[in-house]
Amino acid sequence: MSNKYTIGIDYGTESGRAVLISLKNGEEIAGHVTPYPHGVIDQTLPDTNVELGYEWALQHPGDYLEVIKQSVPAVLKESGVDSADVIGIGIDFTACTMLPINQDGEPLCLDPALRNNPHSWVKLWKHHAAQDEANELNKIAEERGEEFLSRYGGKISSEWMIAKVWQILNEAPDIYEQTDQFVEATDWVISALTNKLHRNSCTAGYKAIWHKQDGYPSNEFFKTLDPRLENLTETKLRGNVVPLGTRAGGLTKDMAELTGLREGTAVAVGNVDAHAAVPAVGVVTPGKLVMAMGTSICHMLLGTEEKQVEGMCGVVEDGIIPGYHGYEAGQSAVGDIFAWYVNQGIPAYVEKAAEKEGMNVHQWLEKKASSYKPGETGLLALDWWNGNRSVLVNTELSGLLLGATIQTKPEEIYRALLEATAFGTRKIVDAFHENGVPVYELYACGGLPLKNKLLMQIYADVTDRTIKIAESKQTPAVGAAMYGAVAAGAKNGGYDSILDAAEKMARIKDEVIEPIPENVEIYEKLYQEYSKLHDYFGRGENDVMKRLKAYRKI
Ligand SMILES: Nc1ncnc2c1ncn2[C@@H]1O[C@H](COP(=O)(O)OP(=O)(O)O)[C@@H](O)[C@H]1O
Ligand SMILES: O=C(CO)[C@@H](O)[C@@H](O)COP(=O)(O)O
């Protein structure tokens, strides 16, 4: 039998990336990136003057189809592989990235009558304008003693499905009314590929409060939020929830023509970016924390039981790997904080110096920052430039830089920002480790481990743990491709389970990053200082950050 292949598409924040993978050994044969033509929509709606509110972040669903149209033919062409040998396709997505659709499965924002209403568009994961709804939801859930709260670290995030749906109901009841279903973008793209709408258990579990045994929260709970939400889960969130790796259907004739793949090629149900990355680095057992490091960080971990961990994003049975409880936590901004500083904060001389040395600004700052020892900058920062996703779960928290003087240099600030994100990760590692979900070693994937060595050494030193690095630049896409192979099944040249696929296809680099003992010692002291600031500003002793955000809205 000729060698078989599978395609994975990773839908990120700014672009979609496709990879074509050999099923024999996981080798990446071809890759292609399609930047979203409309990018992140956070100022005005496309082709209109309709301005968006503070902390809004939308996307154009047509951009997702553009990725399929551009990137799939591109990987077929680059590889020279016969489409008859591509047996499966899978995707992963940012989440909760959700949209309202009509009865025909069409996004409401594509309807000319509705396109001027921001609530008809795709709400991206980092749309943070539903915090009021999230606060109210958490208050009511706590008052009612809802058991589900403990599975989500005590708080439901404003980034997730129910807060976003409720914001639509509150601010645009007509859009809510005209919505047939609210769906995750990952499920919508799969329905565009197969003509079949399935809700995958991963986004349902982590982002829409669905539980394998108990289903969604009760109608009574939703009624307490708002009587109009009483039947939400049976109406606008209806549909079977199916496990990861399920074959959603075969590629439609139209999609086969668009992509160059064969009609009927197996398509796996949708998945989440960070979750897809876990089997792709070969992690199928507990104790190994996988960090998907890019714009944000998602932290993924397996456990044998359902434990309560403060501020985690969620624990979902079979949510990552079948047979285990999958835990998720995260930081809403990591690369985004460094991008903010590079774009908004550096003086012109840095840009010139970087250009002269043939580096980008990140690389120049990293080189300069590498000459400092831990503690030598005299700076300490809190990493909440886009709120705190874990452990405090509040998007109203903001950034802080302490210790700056008139001697402070840009590379020192850059280093303090790198360190702040490592301290944020340490908080998460400690929260799991100290609550019965042990973390013995770290695995890193995503753009950052390949871009910034200093950052990775700081993470090893701050957490005092070894870090293993994914081989692929597109780890989530590799994971998605693996699920495509599982959807095809062994009888068609794929695999019958994600464990079999991981055994054959997962790849990590030989080089590992070990903590340096003298750095570990100093960072332990700095981490104690970070923890004091974390609790002072984050646990209610001084709510100045929340008050400052409230002044903005006056
Ligand atoms: N040398 C660098 N060091 C640290 N961060 C970097 C560097 N170069 C780019 N970045 C950051 O990496 C992030 C993009 O990460 P990437 O994994 O490629 O994308 P995504 O999160 O969309 O999947 C951006 O936020 C950018 O600021
Ligand atoms: O929240 C999740 C997954 O649960 C991510 O989709 C979100 O943080 C976006 O990830 P990226 O930083 O774009 O890789």
Side-chain angles (χ1 to χ4, degrees):
M1 190 159 69
S2 60
N3 195 12
K4 299 292 179 201
Y5 302 87
T6 169
I7 290 179
I9 308 177
D10 171 39
Y11 284 94
T13 301
E14 307 278 349
S15 62
R17 290 83 72 144
V19 292
L20 187 142
I21 311 272
S22 161
L23 279 159
K24 205 166 54 187
N25 54 8
E27 192 189 341
E28 245 169 271
I29 312 291
H32 185 267
V33 180
T34 302
Y36 299 142
H38 298 87
V40 175
I41 303 167
D42 54 10
Q43 301 296 324
T44 52
L45 287 183
D47 310 320
T48 71
N49 295 324
V50 179
E51 283 186 16
L52 300 178
Y54 182 56
E55 297 199 306
W56 274 65
L58 306 179
Q59 283 189 327
H60 192 312
D63 292 355
Y64 306 145
L65 303 183
E66 196 58 29
V67 174
I68 295 170
K69 190 174 155 194
Q70 303 290 339
S71 289
V72 176
V75 293
L76 280 174
K77 188 167 171 218
E78 185 196 335
S79 63
V81 163
D82 183 346
S83 61
D85 290 326
V86 178
I87 58 157
I89 177 163
I91 71 166
D92 67 82
F93 233 101
T94 64
C96 166
T97 295
M98 54 80 77
L99 67 155
I101 57 172
N102 66 19
Q103 277 169 339
D104 299 326
E106 287 287 317
L108 260 49
C109 64
L110 301 184
D111 179 342
L114 304 177
R115 67 189 303 275
N116 281 353
N117 189 325
H119 282 293
S120 70
W121 290 75
V122 178
K123 284 191 168 59
L124 182 61
W125 64 276
K126 65 177 179 178
H127 172 88
H128 278 173
Q131 187 64 49
D132 289 348
E133 282 78 6
N135 291 345
E136 191 60 14
L137 187 157
N138 287 322
K139 195 171 129 245
I140 292 172
E142 215 171 298
E143 280 164 8
R144 289 173 51 88
E146 293 287 349
E147 273 180 28
F148 67 75
L149 269 187
S150 64
R151 295 201 311 272
Y152 298 95
K155 277 187 189 150
I156 301 300
S157 163
S158 72
E159 287 182 5
W160 300 348
M161 183 64 95
I162 307 301
K164 284 172 168 161
V165 166
W166 198 8
Q167 191 201 1
I168 295 174
L169 175 64
N170 281 336
E171 297 176 15
D174 52 325
I175 294 290
Y176 182 87
E177 208 43 54
Q178 290 181 69
T179 299
D180 182 52
Q181 293 193 63
F182 293 105
V183 290
E184 282 279 349
T186 193
D187 292 332
W188 180 75
V189 169
I190 293 300
S191 75
L193 289 169
T194 60
N195 251 341
K196 295 195 176 72
L197 182 62
H198 298 278
R199 292 185 187 271
N200 77 84
S201 61
C202 185
T203 47
Y206 287 98
K207 311 295 174 180
I209 328 185
W210 175 84
H211 186 259
K212 193 175 166 190
Q213 274 84 35
D214 303 343
Y216 292 103
S218 66
N219 287 9
E220 204 43 49
F221 167 71
F222 281 105
K223 189 176 167 191
T224 319
L225 298 186
D226 187 310
R228 294 168 296 174
L229 288 174
E230 181 175 1
N231 299 315
L232 175 71
T233 61
E234 292 139 24
T235 55
K236 296 173 199 282
L237 288 182
R238 69 179 183 274
N240 281 345
V241 178
V242 296
L244 294 178
T246 304
R247 184 182 187 277
L251 200 65
T252 63
K253 186 163 177 284
D254 288 352
M255 281 295 170
E257 275 165 18
L258 188 79
T259 56
L261 289 172
R262 270 180 326 148
E263 185 181 347
T265 303
V267 181
V269 293
N271 201 346
V272 180
D273 44 14
H275 302 62
V278 176
V281 293
V283 168
V284 292
T285 49
K288 302 162 181 177
L289 182 92
V290 178
M291 304 184 289
M293 305 178 74
T295 315
S296 61
I297 297 185
C298 292
H299 305 79
M300 317 298 301
L301 184 63
L302 301 175
T304 48
E305 295 164 77
E306 201 172 279
K307 294 277 185 190
Q308 295 191 16
V309 179
E310 187 197 7
M312 66 178 168
C313 299
V315 48
V316 175
E317 192 179 343
D318 303 336
I320 304 175
I321 298 292
Y324 289 105
H325 287 79
Y327 289 82
E328 178 185 359
Q331 289 165 270
S332 299
V334 175
D336 247 1
I337 303 182
F338 315 145
W340 166 81
Y341 183 59
V342 163
N343 296 332
Q344 310 292 339
I346 52 133
Y349 83 82
V350 169
E351 228 163 327
K352 281 197 199 117
E355 201 184 327
K356 203 166 153 205
E357 292 181 44
M359 295 174 168
N360 68 36
V361 173
H362 285 285
Q363 290 164 337
W364 191 88
L365 288 169
E366 181 198 349
K367 192 184 97 182
K368 288 280 190 186
S370 297
S371 64
Y372 289 76
K373 291 199 201 67
E376 204 184 332
T377 64
L379 298 174
L380 186 59
L382 285 174
D383 52 315
W384 302 338
W385 258 252
N386 197 11
N388 176 291
R389 191 187 281 178
S390 305
V391 169
L392 301 167
V393 200
N394 199 311
T395 56
E396 287 179 328
L397 296 173
S398 51
L400 179 85
L401 181 72
L402 192 71
T405 70
I406 51 172
Q407 271 83 40
T408 300
K409 297 206 177 71
E411 57 268 29
E412 295 176 331
I413 297 178
Y414 191 75
R415 182 168 180 127
L417 295 176
L418 302 184
E419 290 169 344
T421 67
F423 292 139
T425 281
R426 165 81 187 267
K427 273 265 160 253
I428 289 165
V429 168
D430 284 1
F432 281 124
H433 198 74
E434 288 161 12
N435 286 289
V437 199
V439 179
Y440 300 118
E441 57 181 1
L442 309 181
Y443 284 67
C445 63
L448 294 188
L450 307 172
K451 288 175 183 154
N452 196 316
K453 271 201 158 186
L454 172 64
L455 180 77
M456 299 318 295
Q457 188 59 54
I458 291 173
Y459 272 59
D461 295 341
V462 166
T463 61
D464 194 14
R465 281 163 175 85
T466 303
I467 306 183
K468 295 180 176 165
I469 310 278
E471 193 177 280
S472 173
K473 281 187 193 154
Q474 309 289 4
T475 312
V478 175
M482 287 162 71
Y483 277 105
V486 174
K491 68 177 187 306
N492 295 310
Y495 294 101
D496 279 339
S497 83
I498 194 65
L499 301 181
D500 295 346
E503 198 186 318
K504 291 284 186 328
M505 295 170 72
R507 291 160 83 115
I508 53 169
K509 287 183 189 291
D510 293 335
E511 171 206 349
V512 297
I513 302 169
E514 297 290 357
I516 300 168
E518 52 272 33
N519 292 356
V520 171
E521 207 179 304
I522 304 169
Y523 276 133
E524 182 56 39
K525 294 192 181 112
L526 286 170
Y527 177 66
Q528 297 309 327
E529 301 291 353
Y530 171 93
S531 291
K532 283 184 203 148
L533 288 180
H534 175 278
D535 290 356
Y536 179 68
F537 287 107
R539 293 197 191 275
E541 211 172 320
N542 187 340
D543 276 336
V544 58
M545 291 172 180
K546 294 179 193 169
R547 288 194 297 275
L548 289 174
K549 280 215 175 174
Y551 288 132
R552 286 189 65 118
K553 294 180 192 162
I554 293 172

